[in-house]
Amino acid sequence: MQTKSTELPYDITQWRQGYRSQPQEYDYQITEIDGQIPPELTGTLFRNGPGLFDINEDAVRHPFDGDGMICRITFKDGKAHFLNRFVQTEAYVAEKAAGKFLYRGVFGTQKAGGWLSNAFDVNLKNIANTQVVYWGGKLLALWEAAEPHRLDPKTLNTLGIEYLNNTLKPGDPFAAHPLFDPKQNRMVNFGLKAGKFDTTGLLTGITIYELDLDGKVVKEHSHTIPGFAFIHDFAITPNYCIFFQNPVGFNPFPFLFGLKGAGECVKFQPEKPTKIIIIPRNSHSGEKVQMLETKSGFVFHHANAFEHDGKISIDSIAYATFPEIEEGKDFRDTNFSSLSPGQLWRFEMDLQTRQVESTLVEPRCCEFPTINPANVGYPYRYVYMGAAQTCNGNAPLQSILKLDRETGEQQLWTAAPTGYVNEPVFVPRPGGTQEDDGWLIAMIYDGAKDRSAVVVLDAADLTKGAVATLHLTHHIPYGLHGSWTDE
Ligand code: 3ON
Ligand code: FE
């Protein structure tokens, strides 16, 4: 176990506190503000993440198994309002009433009573904890292995499971990483389903959905790829959807016999390549699905992709191995230095020669890449990411890094040594003309104060410090993803 060390820019005991449950639901005007909220910053930041890590004696095995809790921060006239609510999933409601876990989590959380009470229970707990987006007049809480939950944007009350006008059937997955095509005005997302077989073995189905501005599903197409797949995120260009099929295998037996969660049965296969699946968005193009290969690695998140000269470039955060928690260990006892860091890579795919060239862009440990939404699927210049405080090795995210992909210039804003950052969300400045004309908004956890804050940074210049720091009166556990809406 790691102990407090003067060499580290963080205190592991303080870091750990950020993974405490926040069962309380708050609703208040934020009054403790350092700096000034820009008066032209008007709109709403929605974010999602696990809010509950235990019920009475029972604790989750992994933070990704925590129930989804939505935070909403509304900005208007230089003021801000905070609201958080748990998504009232069927499981959350039932477990709250029972005072114990009634469902198994994908990442290993078990029901009480040992393996016997878990064996052959393959019921997934749809915990709605990964992303929240407002599209077509609907606020949707997403979790990649099941259907979305629809919420009331004003109260964050849960309205129920959303089937997108009968497009989804009960149990159909709708991923937690929709992308917004800025020119076609589409929300593009996918659903991944394992379980079919042919003579070559297990197959995985990928269904792609495109929704117009009214939230109507205007395109839906399904494809089958060989093998097992764990695909968390994807990328789009005007003509393609791009998926990385990480080299992993799946042994279902420990899951079926109640010994492990499904996610814990995913094994990294370093000897196998990563497959890159390129699916045309337009069937009338007559193009077929292409599968290219690159060296082994594990990717959760992509920053962006774009087409140029018969090629597709994609920037992604890649790990040398799939991060697993050790048997019998608490996830809060993470020994950061023993895990490989996520690093930003550029993959350049030649669709004619089928060659893939990969280059390390940034060795610093990074996660949660984001860009100006106007550049999604198109050439771009700036990427922003949560980043470690130090240049090498694996460590918690304490900083926000801006990379200029044209000049290589970097800017770093840091919350170290007591602060830990979540995903930054880019908000374009109304009427802005430069790609970095806007703000980055991120939730920060301060381990010394045991409270969270929302920071607003000027995306054009991170070095000048936060434009505004909005102190919350309590902590919010480390979260996953968020989105901005001008409404
Ligand atoms: O066939 C199945 C495919 C599938 C979709 C297998 C399966 C059961 C494993 C599965 C389900 C996958 C799920 C439910 C994935 C959920 C992922 C999740 C909730 C979060 C992922 C987060 C990724 C990252 C990189 C988080 C980083 C966090 C930090 C740096 C800490 O602040
Ligand atoms: Fe994600």
Side-chain angles (χ1 to χ4, degrees):
M1 209 174 85
Q2 219 163 337
T3 50
K4 188 173 170 177
S5 153
T6 46
E7 288 150 49
L8 297 171
Y10 60 93
D11 177 325
I12 195 78
T13 315
Q14 288 184 358
W15 171 79
R16 222 179 261 142
Q17 296 183 84
Y19 271 129
R20 268 170 28 258
S21 294
Q22 177 52 276
Q24 202 75 36
E25 296 183 317
Y26 296 89
D27 185 350
Y28 59 93
Q29 197 73 28
I30 303 170
T31 54
E32 251 182 88
I33 299 172
D34 296 334
Q36 213 158 28
I37 300 174
E40 68 274 34
L41 177 61
T42 303
T44 306
L45 177 76
F46 290 106
R47 72 188 282 292
N48 199 350
L52 212 57
F53 303 103
D54 41 34
I55 308 180
N56 296 321
E57 308 297 286
D58 299 344
V60 297
R61 163 101 176 111
H62 193 284
F64 299 168
D65 276 348
D67 293 288
M69 183 181 82
I70 310 296
C71 293
R72 187 190 73 191
I73 300 109
T74 317
F75 295 86
K76 199 172 186 240
D77 304 327
K79 297 192 173 79
H81 180 273
F82 178 86
L83 176 70
N84 72 309
R85 291 274 181 275
F86 278 90
V87 185
Q88 305 285 314
T89 63
E90 197 182 317
Y92 172 81
V93 172
E95 290 182 343
K96 197 173 170 188
K100 60 178 183 184
F101 289 134
L102 303 172
Y103 289 77
R104 302 176 72 189
V106 164
F107 292 95
T109 305
Q110 301 281 52
K111 297 188 279 186
W115 69 273
L116 252 179
S117 56
N118 288 279
F120 308 112
D121 178 358
V122 294
N123 202 6
L124 287 181
K125 177 181 178 185
N126 180 352
I127 46 176
N129 72 356
T130 313
Q131 172 61 300
V132 54
V133 293
Y134 186 67
W135 184 260
K138 290 176 181 173
L139 184 64
L140 303 174
L142 306 174
W143 183 67
E144 70 198 64
E147 316 93 322
H149 282 77
R150 183 173 172 192
L151 312 174
D152 180 329
K154 293 276 172 281
T155 59
L156 297 185
N157 286 339
T158 303
L159 303 174
I161 290 193
E162 173 64 36
Y163 292 100
L164 305 174
N165 306 319
N166 294 322
T167 301
L168 302 178
K169 305 280 163 290
D172 274 357
F174 193 69
H177 274 281
L179 290 160
F180 304 93
D181 183 321
K183 301 219 171 134
Q184 300 179 31
N185 288 316
R186 296 274 176 82
M187 169 166 130
V188 188
N189 198 14
F190 67 99
L192 199 70
K193 220 175 199 175
K196 282 193 244 165
F197 286 87
D198 74 357
T199 49
T200 63
L202 182 70
L203 304 171
T204 298
I206 300 181
T207 303
I208 292 165
Y209 305 94
E210 299 207 8
L211 284 69
D212 69 7
L213 281 174
D214 298 324
K216 191 167 159 239
V217 179
V218 288
K219 202 181 275 183
E220 179 185 350
H221 44 116
S222 296
H223 307 269
T224 307
I225 57 167
F228 172 77
F230 180 0
I231 302 175
H232 175 72
D233 188 13
F234 76 135
I236 56 168
T237 67
N239 294 298
Y240 303 100
C241 292
I242 303 120
F243 298 87
F244 274 39
Q245 186 181 12
N246 296 303
V248 291
F250 184 71
N251 170 11
F253 296 106
F255 169 59
L256 291 175
F257 291 128
L259 300 166
K260 284 184 174 184
E264 291 174 298
C265 300
V266 174
K267 275 277 160 287
F268 190 66
Q269 298 174 319
E271 70 290 353
K272 292 205 175 143
T274 293
K275 288 188 185 145
I276 303 175
I277 300 147
I278 304 169
I279 302 181
R281 282 174 65 186
N282 307 303
S283 53
H284 57 76
S285 71
E287 282 182 84
K288 294 219 153 48
V289 174
Q290 290 211 53
M291 277 213 236
L292 310 183
E293 287 187 357
T294 186
K295 63 177 187 196
S296 167
F298 195 93
V299 171
F300 280 105
H301 295 128
H302 302 287
N304 195 28
F306 58 93
E307 299 170 28
H308 60 106
D309 320 312
K311 293 180 180 159
I312 301 175
S313 284
I314 181 166
D315 291 344
S316 315
I317 306 271
Y319 296 79
T321 62
F322 174 58
E324 287 172 37
I325 9 173
E326 285 170 53
E327 202 97 20
K329 254 201 168 177
D330 188 282
F331 67 87
R332 292 174 192 86
D333 289 334
T334 301
N335 181 354
F336 280 94
S337 57
S338 72
L339 297 170
S340 58
Q343 296 168 314
L344 187 72
W345 288 75
R346 159 73 48 99
F347 298 88
E348 197 175 82
M349 306 170 275
D350 189 316
L351 298 185
Q352 270 67 54
T353 64
R354 303 175 53 79
Q355 293 302 304
V356 182
E357 215 176 281
S358 58
T359 327
L360 179 63
V361 176
E362 174 53 47
R364 188 188 292 260
C365 168
C366 290
E367 249 308 343
F368 300 132
T370 188
I371 67 162
N372 186 322
N375 294 76
V376 169
Y378 292 90
Y380 78 109
R381 181 165 171 186
Y382 302 108
V383 59
Y384 314 91
M385 304 176 282
Q389 165 64 13
T390 45
C391 305
N392 38 46
N394 185 43
L397 307 177
Q398 294 189 282
S399 309
I400 293 176
L401 178 67
K402 172 186 180 184
L403 279 187
D404 183 334
R405 303 288 283 104
E406 221 165 277
T407 65
E409 196 204 322
Q410 303 196 353
Q411 291 178 353
L412 191 85
W413 175 85
T414 187
T418 61
Y420 300 91
V421 314
N422 289 274
E423 176 194 60
V425 173
F426 185 92
V427 179
R429 187 191 303 273
T433 50
Q434 301 300 309
E435 190 187 313
D436 58 354
D437 203 351
W439 302 279
L440 291 172
I441 309 185
M443 188 83 86
I444 309 295
Y445 170 69
D446 188 313
K449 294 195 188 115
D450 191 23
R451 279 168 65 179
S452 295
V454 178
V455 291
V456 180
L457 306 176
D458 182 344
D461 185 5
L462 302 195
T463 62
K464 71 181 187 197
V467 176
T469 306
L470 290 60
H471 298 278
L472 305 182
T473 60
H474 47 81
H475 88 285
I476 292 293
Y478 304 120
L480 290 166
H481 301 289
S483 62
W484 175 261
T485 163
D486 288 334
E487 287 179 47

